[in-house]
Amino acid sequence: MPLDTSRPPVLSARVPGSKSLTNRALLLAAAASGTSGLWAPLVSDDTVAFRRALGTLGIATSATPSDECWEVTGNGVGPFAPGRVWCADAGTAARFLPPFAATGRGTFVFDGSDQLRARPLGPLTRTLARLGADVQAAPGGGLPLTIAANGLAGGRVELDSGLSSQYLSGLLMAAPLMGGPLTVDVPRLVSRPYLDMTIALMRYFGAEVTETGGTVEVAPTGYTATDFVVEPDASTASYFFAAAAVTGRTVTVPGLGSGSLQGDLGFAEVLRLTGAEVEIGDHATTVTGPAGGLTGGFTVDMGEISDTFMTLAAIAPLADGPVTITGVAHARLKESDRIAAMAANLRACGIRVDETPESLTVHPGLPRPALIDCHRDHRIAMSFAVLGLGSGVPLTLDDPGCVAKTFPEFHTELARLFPLYEVPTKEK
């Protein structure tokens, strides 16, 4: 059969493992009895920080020479190696490790970068205290955080997760190590797909979790060591899907299909609103950009997939009508105030933006050259890299290296797929 040259070839993006899955699996393996193998883990600043923090807590880990597998050996109970735990910039470390430590014995001090210290922890630390943990937190309930641990008995508590689902995920993952069942009433929850991911992984490692309405119950069964294969990161894949949308090309991400545990794969469905063709198969997802440019004039609630709202906001100027993104108020409490940061950077590019406490409306316009303030936020850097690619306008990232938080090779991979993209060289 002759080769069909009527369409450009499909570009296959090499997207690394999911940060959310890697760090959850690291914790559950540390809490399990025995040795687990985590295959295709994400190797990035956040996951390496998480793994090192586990080492500080006395958990033995090792890696194959090329990092294709990380082995984690847990003893089936909470940690017994008190000390100072450095979380660096990793929000998951600051939210997941303190509850785990509280199920152990000894005094643990958690701290992190100034950026991480600014992120709220109050709902989680107050809940741990109600469960009987001896917790001393900085003003506002954040880092630095000291826990004098003597195990947790379980019980019933209410945990408001309206600011971050990570509070609830961290508490639930520690629950099988408690002395009795834990029941959590959840009056508010954002980013529901991340809770679904947590519960699915807990069950994979042998936990008994039941959910009824706004209540989650976990039995004190402990965990069983097991091997786990980490999917490609759906949040990171959003940038390559968006690149396809703005260039009219076709990009596929192997290993990220309809059975994915990650809610952020829903970003591909959002791209349908822009006129992109989307195919989510069993083992891969493929996006083809519209030949006539992006369609705008729509409103979309991205509260459940807020880590990808910046990807859409960054390419929205290239649409033929305004794009309104709602439901993302909690994104103001991430690595940066992401709504304000996106609005300011788009305005620096000459784009009209309307901002509310929980939404952003981006109007059409050709960006002008600008210096992008990344705020040390990997998602800002990656989003505006795609806008620069799609518009052909030079946008300078003030901190291109911040992508190392989740994908150190992001710029080179984008340039491999799209040779017109120039890899930035300026580093802070």
Side-chain angles (χ1 to χ4, degrees):
M1 179 180 296
L3 181 66
D4 181 4
T5 59
S6 62
R7 299 184 65 178
V10 175
L11 306 173
S12 182
R14 298 186 294 226
V15 174
S18 162
K19 180 186 77 170
S20 298
L21 288 172
T22 298
N23 281 354
R24 281 168 173 78
L26 278 171
L27 178 60
L28 298 177
S33 179
T35 299
S36 301
L38 309 185
W39 291 88
L42 172 65
V43 182
S44 72
D45 287 355
D46 268 18
T47 59
V48 170
F50 199 105
R51 182 179 156 196
R52 287 174 177 166
L54 286 176
T56 304
L57 293 172
I59 305 300
T61 68
S62 63
T64 56
S66 59
D67 278 315
E68 75 265 23
C69 181
W70 287 355
E71 288 194 341
V72 182
T73 301
N75 57 14
V77 295
F80 284 80
R84 301 187 66 87
V85 181
W86 180 249
C87 300
D89 281 340
T92 48
R95 276 82 180 268
F96 294 172
L97 294 177
F100 175 52
T103 67
R105 300 289 188 275
T107 300
F108 305 89
V109 180
F110 295 88
D111 204 356
S113 65
D114 289 343
Q115 184 188 62
L116 191 57
R117 282 187 172 193
R119 299 179 68 178
L121 280 177
L124 176 60
T125 56
R126 290 191 292 270
T127 301
L128 288 174
R130 287 195 294 271
L131 285 170
D134 184 350
V135 180
Q136 297 180 10
L143 301 181
L145 172 68
T146 300
I147 295 180
N150 192 32
L152 293 176
R156 184 166 196 148
V157 290
E158 180 178 282
L159 176 54
D160 187 336
S161 296
L163 297 178
S164 173
S165 64
Q166 290 179 357
Y167 306 145
L168 182 56
S169 286
L171 185 64
L172 293 179
M173 285 190 288
L177 303 183
M178 297 182 186
L182 176 70
T183 300
V184 186
D185 298 314
V186 188
R188 290 196 306 158
L189 175 67
V190 295
S191 303
R192 169 74 213 201
Y194 284 98
L195 175 61
D196 293 337
M197 176 194 298
T198 296
I199 292 174
L201 277 182
M202 289 174 64
R203 289 171 174 159
Y204 185 85
F205 278 83
E208 294 180 8
V209 187
T210 58
E211 185 178 7
T212 305
T215 299
V216 186
E217 298 181 26
V218 184
T221 57
Y223 292 106
T224 302
T226 187
D227 287 350
F228 179 72
V229 179
V230 180
E231 305 170 5
D233 193 295
S235 306
T236 299
S238 75
Y239 309 109
F240 297 97
F241 293 147
V246 298
T247 61
R249 301 294 300 275
T250 298
V251 171
T252 189
V253 177
L256 190 63
S258 57
S260 173
L261 295 175
Q262 301 171 77
D264 279 1
L265 182 56
F267 178 79
E269 298 289 355
V270 171
L271 285 177
R272 293 187 194 274
L273 301 174
T274 71
E277 297 178 15
V278 178
E279 180 183 354
I280 301 177
D282 292 340
H283 305 293
T285 296
T286 302
V287 173
T288 301
L294 303 184
T295 299
F298 62 84
T299 297
V300 58
D301 186 334
M302 298 187 72
E304 297 296 314
I305 55 171
S306 62
D307 275 352
T308 64
F309 98 85
M310 291 168 291
T311 319
L312 180 62
I315 65 173
L318 306 181
D320 63 6
V323 173
T324 298
I325 302 166
T326 66
V328 291
H330 55 287
R332 292 188 181 276
L333 301 172
K334 297 282 190 174
E335 284 84 341
S336 63
D337 179 338
R338 286 176 164 171
I339 295 177
M342 290 302 297
N345 279 316
L346 286 168
R347 288 173 183 141
C349 296
I351 302 301
R352 177 187 163 196
V353 181
D354 303 323
E355 178 186 352
T356 76
E358 61 91 34
S359 72
L360 204 64
T361 297
V362 182
H363 295 266
L366 180 64
R368 64 191 180 207
L371 175 65
I372 303 302
D373 184 350
C374 295
H375 295 269
R376 292 184 56 229
D377 189 331
H378 55 135
R379 302 208 182 283
I380 293 175
M382 290 190 269
S383 296
F384 278 92
V386 177
L387 175 59
L389 170 68
S391 65
V393 173
L395 301 178
T396 303
L397 306 177
D398 73 340
D399 186 13
C402 68
V403 300
K405 183 177 177 70
T406 49
F407 190 5
E409 303 303 320
F410 169 77
H411 297 296
T412 55
E413 179 63 7
L414 192 61
R416 184 186 71 83
L417 296 174
F418 301 94
L420 291 178
Y421 178 73
E422 294 186 13
V423 175
T425 56
K426 182 180 178 182
E427 302 279 351
K428 271 192 173 180

